[in-house]
Amino acid sequence: MFNQLESILGRYEELHELLSDPEVVADSRRFLALSREEGQLREVVSCYTAYKNVLQQLIEAEEMLADPELGELAKAELAEGKVQKAALEEQLKILMLPKDPNDGKNIVLEIRGAAGGDEAALFAGDLLTMYQHYSESQGWKFELMEANVTGIGGYKEVSVLISGVNVYSKLKFESGAHRVQRVPVTETQGRVHTSTATVLVMPEIEAFDYQIDPNEIRTDIYHASGAGGQNVNKVATAVRMVHLPTGIKVEMQEERTQIKNREKAIKLLSTKVFDYYQQIERDKNDATRKSAIGTGDRSERIRTYNFSQNRVTDHRIGLTVQKLDRIISGDLGEIIDALVMADQTEKLARLNN
């Protein structure tokens, strides 16, 4: 492991030199790729640097033991240093676990109302707001891409682009079926209903990662509907794209110009098509998808939100917290941290066996 860490340290220093090279800066595609690589190595390098500093402090404390005046201080420093060394070694083991290549990417988050009619669509809207508030707390950008709104304000389907630092690494375990138990606003007799909404987290695909053959796309231009002023009715700005081999369709009318809607539509379509083909590959190798955290399949029930008891339960790791009001408001940190830790613990166990 320490040979690997030295190699990583060397690569990190090389990346810093490259990122200050004018030729690299001028090549936006290469600069972005190297910046991402540097960001992915930063935490490992910081931890390893701290570890090396502790090792040096231990050597110096050992040398001070024979000094009659500094001996007691050296013993205390040795004891503290050994604790720090052990903690940093554990942290390095976790940081050196095999990385998901998508961890540093932005995501497209898709939420759909599933079983439960209007209540499912309303719950999809609640989940959208929950992820929006969590994104704001992380300093991420939350951008609406596509929305199919119901008459009472819920969502049959909605897609957003979430951009920022390590978005996928924190939200990748949110894919699956989310179940809600509560008295719907549409219920007149106070009965508790159970409804579901599905969440799908897809890493954003950049043009240099994957490109769809233009001949496989059918594009329709039409007049946008809804809010937007006079421009909506006078100019055809909305864009519908269909990927013919898979039948995947996206519709974009959030922007006021056809060019911007085209740009967003192709980005969303590319992400969905790439995820579709990736899912086929994952299905071919089921063993890689079996873990305590689950498969990431949209149909897998992962979490229940019980409003009457203010309780949220994540079924994959058996975590129950009595603070639904805070979680649905975007305070997702405790659940996300527990999921990440469970995943790391499982990977460490497999590594040690």
Side-chain angles (χ1 to χ4, degrees):
M1 182 176 78
F2 292 103
N3 288 336
Q4 283 182 282
L5 286 165
E6 284 296 325
S7 297
I8 289 171
L9 183 59
R11 176 58 177 167
Y12 187 77
E13 292 169 351
E14 180 186 9
L15 285 169
H16 266 268
E17 292 180 10
L18 287 169
L19 288 170
S20 61
D21 186 327
E23 288 187 12
V24 174
V25 174
D27 185 343
S28 59
R29 187 172 293 185
R30 189 182 179 202
F31 183 80
L32 178 60
L34 292 175
S35 295
R36 280 181 175 171
E37 185 183 354
E38 189 266 351
Q40 290 168 355
L41 298 182
R42 192 179 302 134
E43 188 177 3
V44 178
V45 169
S46 175
C47 185
Y48 184 48
T49 301
Y51 179 77
K52 292 178 78 172
N53 289 338
V54 168
L55 288 184
Q56 183 59 39
Q57 290 167 13
L58 286 172
I59 292 171
E60 292 172 1
E62 288 276 5
E63 292 172 350
M64 286 168 28
L65 279 175
D67 190 313
E69 294 183 2
L70 299 175
E72 289 302 315
L73 177 62
K75 286 180 183 178
E77 289 186 359
L78 273 173
E80 183 181 349
K82 287 177 181 178
V83 172
Q84 291 178 341
K85 176 174 175 287
L88 288 167
E89 283 175 349
E90 286 304 308
Q91 190 176 347
L92 283 170
K93 285 179 185 177
I94 291 172
L95 291 172
M96 291 298 287
L97 288 171
K99 293 286 190 299
D100 186 326
N102 294 318
D103 274 354
K105 290 188 176 182
N106 303 327
I107 68 164
V108 170
L109 177 73
E110 180 186 279
I111 306 173
R112 293 184 182 180
D118 285 341
E119 166 62 3
L122 289 171
F123 180 50
D126 292 337
L127 292 177
L128 178 69
T129 302
M130 177 181 78
Y131 290 121
Q132 182 175 5
H133 289 165
Y134 178 71
S135 298
E136 290 168 355
S137 74
Q138 298 298 303
W140 298 336
K141 183 180 178 183
F142 195 88
E143 181 182 1
L144 184 67
M145 299 284 281
E146 184 183 36
N148 186 344
V149 185
T150 65
I152 61 171
Y155 290 90
K156 291 181 181 177
E157 180 179 348
V158 59
S159 298
V160 295
L161 175 65
I162 306 178
S163 311
V165 178
N166 295 327
V167 180
Y168 185 79
S169 69
K170 290 193 175 182
L171 292 181
K172 62 184 175 182
F173 299 124
E174 293 302 296
S175 288
H178 294 240
R179 182 174 69 169
V180 62
Q181 295 173 324
R182 65 182 176 187
V183 179
V185 294
T186 54
E187 168 61 48
T188 58
Q189 298 184 29
R191 291 173 298 185
V192 173
H193 288 225
T194 298
S195 305
T196 57
T198 60
V199 173
L200 184 61
V201 175
M202 297 169 281
E204 181 194 16
I205 300 304
E206 299 287 353
F208 52 84
D209 291 329
Y210 174 74
Q211 287 186 318
I212 301 176
D213 183 345
N215 295 320
E216 295 181 345
I217 301 174
R218 188 187 78 229
T219 303
D220 302 318
I221 307 299
Y222 59 99
H223 289 271
S225 60
Q230 295 178 350
N231 185 60
V232 167
N233 299 318
K234 290 183 178 180
V235 184
T237 58
V239 176
R240 179 187 299 111
M241 288 186 179
V242 181
H243 183 244
L244 299 174
T246 62
I248 294 173
K249 178 182 73 173
V250 300
E251 296 182 356
M252 200 64 57
Q253 61 175 9
E254 302 303 321
E255 300 294 337
R256 296 180 65 85
T257 67
Q258 184 188 131
I259 292 175
K260 288 185 177 180
N261 279 325
R262 275 180 176 271
E263 290 174 353
K264 291 178 76 171
I266 191 62
K267 178 177 285 191
L268 182 58
L269 186 66
S270 298
T271 296
K272 288 189 174 186
V273 170
F274 183 76
D275 182 76
Y276 173 85
Y277 287 128
Q278 287 290 100
Q279 189 66 47
I280 291 174
E281 288 301 311
R282 287 194 293 267
D283 288 342
K284 288 179 182 177
N285 189 9
D286 268 346
T288 64
R289 303 173 67 228
K290 292 176 180 177
S291 72
I293 308 303
T295 64
D297 193 309
R298 190 205 299 264
S299 63
E300 179 189 11
R301 191 189 75 185
I302 64 167
R303 194 174 297 150
T304 295
Y305 303 74
N306 187 306
F307 274 72
S308 61
Q309 299 178 21
N310 198 37
R311 184 183 70 220
V312 176
T313 299
D314 195 289
H315 305 289
R316 295 163 294 178
I317 56 175
L319 174 68
T320 296
V321 289
Q322 303 289 150
K323 52 180 81 170
L324 183 150
D325 53 337
R326 289 171 53 186
I327 288 166
I328 206 70
S329 297
D331 188 4
L332 277 168
E334 183 177 347
I335 291 179
I336 287 173
D337 289 348
L339 289 165
V340 170
M341 184 172 291
D343 182 58
Q344 291 172 344
T345 301
E346 184 176 317
K347 285 177 179 176
L348 277 172
R350 286 204 301 264
L351 200 64
N352 292 331
N353 288 338

